[in-house]
Amino acid sequence: MNEEAANEGLVPKSDCLECFNIKNNDKVVNMKLPIENRKYSKEITAENDGEEVSIAGWVHEKRDLGGVFFLIVRDREGFAQVTLHKGEVDRELFEQARKVPRESVVAIGGVVKGEEKAPGGYEILPERMEVLSAASHVLPLDTTGKVGAELDTRLDARFMDLRTERTKHIFIIRSRVLNVIREFLVDRGFVEINTPKIVSAATEGGTALFPISYFEREAFLNQSPQLYKQMLMASGFDRVYEIAPIFRAEEHDTTKHLNEATSVDVEVAFVSAEEVMKILEELIAFVYSKLALYPDLNSLNLQLEVPKMPFMRITYEKALELLLEAGEQIEWGDDLSTSAEHILGERIGEHYFITDWPRAIKPFYAQPIEGKDTCNAFDLMHPRLELASGSQRIHSYELLKQSIESKGLGIDSFEFYLNAFRYGMPPHAGWGLGVERLLMSMLGIENVREVVLFPRDRRRLTP
RNA sequence: GCCCGGGUGGUGUAGCGGCCUAUCAUUGAGCCCUGUCGAGGCUCGGACUCGGGUUCAAAUCCCGACCUGGGCGCCA
């Protein structure tokens, strides 16, 4: 375990609470805590023996042994045991602790006692306790891990699901992954951009869009920042990235699709597809190597193995050959089926790229390979699912126009985009990577909904 | 959209025509217990998704609706 990784980012630098008014049992309590001493559970050790501290958190468990009563308080960092000896503490305080419903929010002030018998090596002998918010019971799900809950139940009560260790850590990991991606890209001279999510027309074709009403006009939620990040290639920002939601109105109903997902989009000028593939695989390896240091992955039932570099590259044609050997026939020009992806994944067993795709199944902006029906596009595959796709882009205005027309798309709705190709557009390439898919493949999680706080799928629009 | 499963206390489950006044665990209420760490022991409370149908009898079989898990398709 790595000490730095264990602490980094989990503990905030300062606290801002000083005094707060709380409504408790219909009477407003003006409570002042010795906030200068308020600590997270993990910040306290046996070495603080004798010190006054304050903690605040949720009542995780209560253990009533008659003469001694244990209150386990959970905060973001872990658990603190509060121990009350009958006869030694104030009777009212003892009763208050005994009666407080589980998962209520409490603030407790007391003295630290180093105690080998206590989990964490210390316990708190309380002097005062405030119930800041009493929880109703019974609870919508169990936060202690004794009884499981189905994903649907968990998502309905996500706020409470996030109080469980595994779920909490998944989202801390998600946050870290996004940070690490930014760190990697910024180090390489990338500029973060923000492009519109409300757009006037279908950007790439292919997927269905969510129509919305935009004053007196119809508009859509954007399926991808593709056209905008390309337009920026004409601006002099020659390395850009965006991490943002994308919207797809497909009625798919699987464990790896969402109607609102997060995409990492990268676009680089003056380079080839091979260059951006390198950036992509290095990024993946970097994210893995950073997150491999995350503590307690195993106890959270999460797995993470740093992939070997460089990733294997096979052409679309080679993929078809491998599939045929395995008894799966795909016609040249057809996209790979789910079972085909699984067969390839099993044969290769690690991340790999599929390159040189037929033009017909890739978007209009992919650069055709001269004299062939293929284009300079690639998919990054994980053995279980597709993670990213990208290509060398067409940067010639005339060729791009032709390509749009040959796909049967209306030139008019692309005018704003095409314009950027008329006044000096460098060659460029890029890709889009699904954040949720990266996370689920990285952590061995089966359902994409697990890695989104409030997922949007075919049926779910709340919470 | 297609094909298979499934809907039983708050949660997770057993039961799959009569033996169901429905099992077990956990949660909840209460009691006993001075070192718990999935504490233990005792008492009590709490459920068959909805609507039709078959049958002497339906949680159990059939039909429909709704919800839900998985596979596929579409898609990234």
Side-chain angles (χ1 to χ4, degrees), chain A residues 85-272:
Chain A
H85 295 277
K86 197 173 191 172
E88 290 176 33
V89 294
D90 178 73
R91 182 176 303 189
E92 235 175 81
L93 180 61
F94 191 87
E95 277 311 301
Q96 189 189 21
R98 239 168 54 84
K99 287 285 188 311
V100 63
R102 286 171 61 229
E103 293 304 323
S104 298
V105 176
V106 296
I108 287 166
V111 177
V112 177
K113 183 183 168 211
E115 173 58 71
E116 275 185 25
K117 284 179 283 188
Y122 76 91
E123 61 191 13
I124 292 170
L125 306 177
E127 281 160 3
R128 60 199 172 278
M129 163 170 161
E130 290 288 344
V131 178
L132 305 180
S133 169
S136 310
H137 48 235
V138 299
L139 303 170
L141 44 84
D142 168 44
T143 56
T144 63
K146 287 179 200 161
V147 184
E150 291 193 11
L151 185 56
D152 195 55
T153 307
R154 290 170 47 204
L155 291 176
D156 280 339
R158 192 56 136 169
F159 66 93
M160 187 155 288
D161 181 43
L162 284 158
R163 297 181 191 177
T164 64
E165 284 298 285
R166 184 170 180 274
T167 306
K168 176 182 84 177
H169 282 287
I170 287 173
F171 288 98
I172 295 174
I173 290 171
R174 181 178 164 125
S175 159
R176 295 274 183 91
V177 166
L178 292 175
N179 274 158
V180 166
I181 290 173
R182 287 197 165 91
E183 180 190 336
F184 177 92
L185 292 171
V186 169
D187 273 0
R188 280 158 186 74
F190 280 83
V191 171
E192 180 162 2
I193 57 168
N194 299 282
T195 64
K197 302 307 146 204
I198 301 174
V199 296
S200 66
T203 50
E204 306 172 35
T207 194
L209 301 180
F210 286 110
I212 60 168
S213 123
Y214 192 72
F215 304 110
E216 70 283 1
R217 281 181 289 174
E218 185 179 50
F220 301 91
L221 294 177
N222 209 172
Q223 69 180 94
S224 133
Q226 181 65 33
L227 305 187
Y228 291 94
K229 65 176 179 171
Q230 279 197 74
M231 284 158 70
L232 282 162
M233 294 298 95
S235 71
F237 288 99
D238 60 5
R239 301 183 139 223
V240 301
Y241 76 98
E242 175 164 17
I243 302 178
I246 55 174
F247 305 91
R248 312 268 161 116
E250 297 294 334
E251 297 198 1
H252 32 48
D253 195 3
T254 77
T255 52
K256 57 185 183 190
H257 288 93
L258 291 167
N259 295 296
E260 178 177 348
T262 307
S263 168
V264 178
D265 268 89
V266 156
E267 203 68 23
V268 185
F270 304 105
V271 301
S272 65

Side-chain angles (χ1 to χ4, degrees), chain A residues 36 42 69 78 81 187 234 236 277 287 330 350 352 409 427 447:
Chain A
E36 64 272 16
K42 258 195 190 158
F69 183 87
Q81 174 166 292
D187 273 0
M277 285 165 75
V287 170
I330 304 266
E350 52 190 26
Y352 63 101
L409 300 166
N447 196 316

Side-chain angles (χ1 to χ4, degrees), chain A residues 293-453:
Chain A
L293 304 176
Y294 195 87
D296 307 322
L297 283 173
N298 284 124
S299 68
L300 296 167
N301 197 238
L302 301 169
Q303 48 195 58
L304 196 154
E305 267 179 61
V306 182
K308 285 192 293 280
M309 292 264 291
F311 297 160
M312 187 189 277
R313 283 139 167 85
I314 61 169
T315 62
Y316 170 82
E317 203 146 329
K318 177 76 182 167
L320 294 197
E321 279 171 33
L322 289 173
L323 286 166
L324 201 58
E325 277 172 34
E328 180 92 355
Q329 188 166 12
I330 304 266
E331 290 298 320
W332 197 95
D334 284 350
D335 209 345
L336 302 185
S337 62
T338 306
S339 72
E341 282 181 9
H342 290 170
I343 290 168
L344 286 174
E346 228 163 87
R347 284 201 59 152
I348 297 171
E350 52 190 26
H351 291 82
Y352 63 101
F353 284 106
I354 303 177
T355 64
D356 299 25
W357 288 80
R359 282 191 77 182
I361 49 173
K362 285 293 173 188
F364 66 80
Y365 47 75
Q367 177 82 48
I369 294 174
E370 246 191 289
K372 292 192 180 166
D373 291 337
T374 52
C375 60
N376 210 337
F378 59 88
D379 279 6
L380 172 63
M381 309 296 297
H382 174 272
R384 288 295 302 173
L385 74 174
E386 181 186 335
L387 293 182
S389 62
S391 66
Q392 176 81 236
R393 320 300 194 190
I394 297 174
H395 66 281
S396 147
Y397 174 74
E398 284 304 328
L399 185 54
L400 189 55
K401 225 171 98 174
Q402 263 176 41
S403 186
I404 290 172
E405 276 169 343
S406 74
K407 290 266 180 187
L409 300 166
I411 285 290
D412 289 352
S413 55
F414 290 94
E415 201 186 339
F416 75 97
Y417 164 71
L418 278 166
N419 265 162
F421 290 75
R422 293 173 60 196
Y423 307 99
M425 172 63 90
H428 59 282
W431 43 257
L433 164 72
V435 170
E436 287 80 17
R437 289 191 172 190
L438 173 63
L439 276 163
M440 65 190 285
S441 61
M442 196 165 89
L443 300 173
I445 289 170
E446 295 294 329
N447 196 316
V448 69
R449 279 154 262 243
E450 286 233 42
V451 301
V452 181
L453 284 172

Side-chain angles (χ1 to χ4, degrees), chain A residues 19-23 28-31:
Chain A
C19 174
F20 36 100
N21 294 311
I22 31 181
K23 209 169 183 208
V28 173
V29 185
N30 191 307
M31 177 168 167

